[in-house]
Amino acid sequence: MKKLLEQVLEIAHEASSAIMSVYAREFSVEEKEDKSPLTEADKAAHEVIMRGLQGLAVQLPILSEEDIEGFSGVDSDGRYWLVDPLDGTKEFIKRNGEFTVNIALIEQGKPVLGVVTAPALETAYVAAEGVGAFKVEADGQRHEIRVAGKPEAAAWRVVGSRSHPSPDLAAWLETLGEHEMLPMGSSLKLCLIAEGKADAYPRLGPTCLWDTGAAHAVVLQAGGRVETLEGQPLSYANPSEKLNPYFVVWGHGADV
């Protein structure tokens, strides 16, 4: 799994380079059927990732946000690649740096490997079962990361979306108690939990499987949880159902 993780990280870095070449100049913005934005960078990253994953020794089906129709379904072992070539397109358009490349390996509904790169921030988060979770700095240095654990006396550090406010959030926060809000875009919200810089991320709004898969893997290997509001682990076992239910990312284990 460690070798595969390195190969996927290299693919994500190549996609990041393709994104940054667009980021450095003027670019056009299209609107998809669901009214979400699409840029040249989304398309370029998708092509790089598809080519890279198809070049690996083990061939698995690929579900990418930019090619949903091309997905052939999970393999006989319940495995597939789950890809968001550019998560946080709105942040990309705003040029605030809070956008990511996301590649996850799903096995029997669970993300067992994940790579998240933040091209403009020159950082990455990588994780795999049996390997652990790490933050990769711009100079290539790696630091093992771990969730913070449940806060005892201090206020909860709650991370929230910059571009997708939710009317249900206020009621959830009132139930949680004393807290401070940390705004962040894209899958970086989950990564903040994984590296211990935030304690909870409630997502009470629509997301798709590819928005969360890679960072979910990082959270799991860092000791955290990603659960539905009913307390069940967020599952990717049915990729034909593209939308996630509402969920909460917790920076502590179930037994804390």
Side-chain angles (χ1 to χ4, degrees):
M1 191 73 90
K2 188 173 182 180
K3 180 182 178 182
L4 183 60
L5 185 63
E6 296 307 313
Q7 292 172 323
V8 175
L9 177 58
E10 181 58 34
I11 294 169
H13 278 320
E14 290 178 22
S16 297
S17 296
I19 288 170
M20 292 308 291
S21 68
V22 178
Y23 195 64
R25 58 173 171 79
E26 293 300 316
F27 53 83
S28 60
V29 180
E30 302 174 29
E31 192 176 80
K32 294 195 282 191
E33 286 185 14
D34 63 0
K35 305 300 182 183
S36 62
L38 177 69
T39 71
E40 300 166 60
D42 296 81
K43 298 175 184 177
H46 166 74
E47 290 172 4
V48 169
I49 294 169
M50 292 295 286
R51 186 166 58 247
L53 294 179
Q54 289 166 353
L56 295 175
V58 178
Q59 293 293 296
L60 298 176
I62 305 170
L63 174 57
S64 169
E65 180 182 11
E66 306 310 334
D67 185 18
I68 298 170
E69 298 303 320
F71 179 58
S72 59
V74 303
D75 77 355
S76 58
D77 294 316
R79 300 179 300 171
Y80 66 99
W81 292 109
L82 182 59
V83 175
D84 191 341
L86 176 51
D87 182 37
T89 302
K90 290 182 179 179
E91 317 306 332
F92 178 85
I93 295 168
K94 293 175 187 174
R95 297 184 186 274
N96 68 11
E98 295 175 3
F99 52 88
T100 55
V101 173
N102 300 266
I103 306 174
L105 174 59
I106 307 300
E107 191 172 289
Q108 300 296 332
K110 180 181 178 182
V112 297
L113 178 153
V115 169
V116 177
T117 61
L121 305 180
E122 297 186 320
T123 57
Y125 298 86
V126 300
E129 286 190 346
V131 179
F134 300 85
K135 183 176 183 178
V136 186
E137 306 290 353
D139 60 4
Q141 287 196 53
R142 299 188 180 202
H143 312 281
E144 189 164 9
I145 56 176
R146 200 76 190 157
V147 295
K150 191 173 183 179
E152 296 180 4
W156 286 82
R157 298 167 298 170
V158 180
V159 66
S161 174
R162 284 201 192 278
S163 299
H164 302 278
S166 167
D168 296 321
L169 183 58
W172 190 91
L173 291 171
E174 188 174 338
T175 302
L176 182 68
E178 186 179 355
H179 63 273
E180 59 174 313
M181 290 298 297
L182 308 172
M184 181 61 69
S186 74
S187 59
L188 288 170
K189 294 184 285 292
L190 289 88
C191 295
L192 282 183
I193 301 283
E195 64 176 316
K197 291 184 177 179
D199 304 304
Y201 164 40
R203 184 53 189 246
L204 310 182
T207 57
C208 293
L209 302 181
W210 46 77
D211 293 320
T212 56
H216 185 168
V218 177
V219 170
L220 288 179
Q221 296 308 312
R225 296 177 289 149
V226 183
E227 297 179 342
T228 67
L229 299 187
E230 293 72 40
Q232 297 301 311
L234 193 64
S235 173
Y236 304 83
N238 183 17
S240 61
E241 177 58 59
K242 308 298 188 299
L243 288 176
N244 289 317
Y246 288 0
F247 63 85
V248 181
V249 184
W250 296 105
H252 58 84
D255 55 347
V256 175

